[in-house]
Amino acid sequence: SLGDLPMPNKKLEDLCVLIVDDEPSVTRLLKTLLSDMQVTQVFTAEDGREALNFLGEMGLGIDVIICDWNMPNMTGLDLLKQVRTVDNDVRFVMMTGRGDLDSVKVARDHGIDSYLRKPFSPEQLQKKLQTSCRGLPTTHQQTARLVG
């Protein structure tokens, strides 16, 4: 049956990524690391509200959101909850200095895909992205362009 066929994984260089972090130094570092991985479609937002506005304009074009947990105006968890009301396909990678199990469990309960503990290495980021790519439709963006 068709359900048994493996989904082709989206390649890293085809990903469209939104970074949400209020620390410019973290945003710059992530953009550099992503660029080193051949990810060129990278957008940024300084907080959850800006991210929601951007996603509203962009539609379904974003594949992965890399988001900080602690931010002013709207936390990463609040952004995650909002995003999940409209889009269950976008991959959500939460960055945080928190390592306690309660935080991890709360994030998982709300549909997080990966948890990235700060400080992290380029290898850890790449591994999380590759995991996030599994099962992402390779035609996601073309559809978004047609709809938008």
Side-chain angles (χ1 to χ4, degrees):
S1 72
L2 284 174
D4 297 333
L5 292 173
M7 287 282 291
N9 291 339
K10 195 156 195 169
K11 296 186 182 79
L12 284 184
E13 58 264 30
D14 294 333
L15 285 180
C16 195
V17 177
L18 174 62
I19 300 167
V20 188
D21 199 308
D22 60 317
E23 296 278 340
S25 59
V26 174
T27 301
R28 277 196 305 274
L29 172 65
L30 281 167
K31 283 181 87 166
T32 301
L33 293 175
L34 289 168
S35 176
D36 290 347
M37 295 174 209
Q38 314 307 313
V39 179
T40 57
Q41 300 175 90
V42 180
F43 302 90
T44 60
E46 288 183 14
D47 61 37
R49 287 191 189 147
E50 191 180 318
L52 281 179
N53 290 338
F54 176 80
L55 290 166
E57 292 166 18
M58 185 77 179
L60 297 173
I62 297 292
D63 297 304
V64 180
I65 297 171
I66 302 174
C67 183
D68 190 26
W69 186 305
N70 293 316
M71 295 179 292
N73 300 324
M74 179 185 274
T75 66
L77 190 61
D78 288 335
L79 175 62
L80 172 64
K81 291 176 189 174
Q82 291 283 325
V83 167
R84 285 292 176 244
T85 63
V86 292
D87 190 344
N88 282 319
D89 293 328
V90 68
R91 302 302 194 253
F92 205 103
V93 179
M94 187 78 81
M95 294 184 297
T96 182
R98 300 175 184 208
D100 61 288
L101 285 173
D102 286 344
S103 295
V104 175
K105 186 176 180 325
V106 166
R108 287 257 154 78
D109 288 346
H110 286 93
I112 199 173
D113 294 288
S114 290
Y115 200 80
L116 197 55
R117 178 112 185 261
K118 292 177 181 176
F120 52 84
S121 68
E123 293 76 21
Q124 286 169 314
L125 174 63
Q126 187 164 359
K127 193 173 176 190
K128 298 285 183 187
L129 281 178
Q130 285 167 336
T131 304
S132 297
C133 287
R134 284 191 200 131
L136 258 182
T138 51
T139 55
H140 193 61
Q141 280 180 294
Q142 288 84 346
T143 310
R145 286 204 186 104
L146 290 173
V147 172

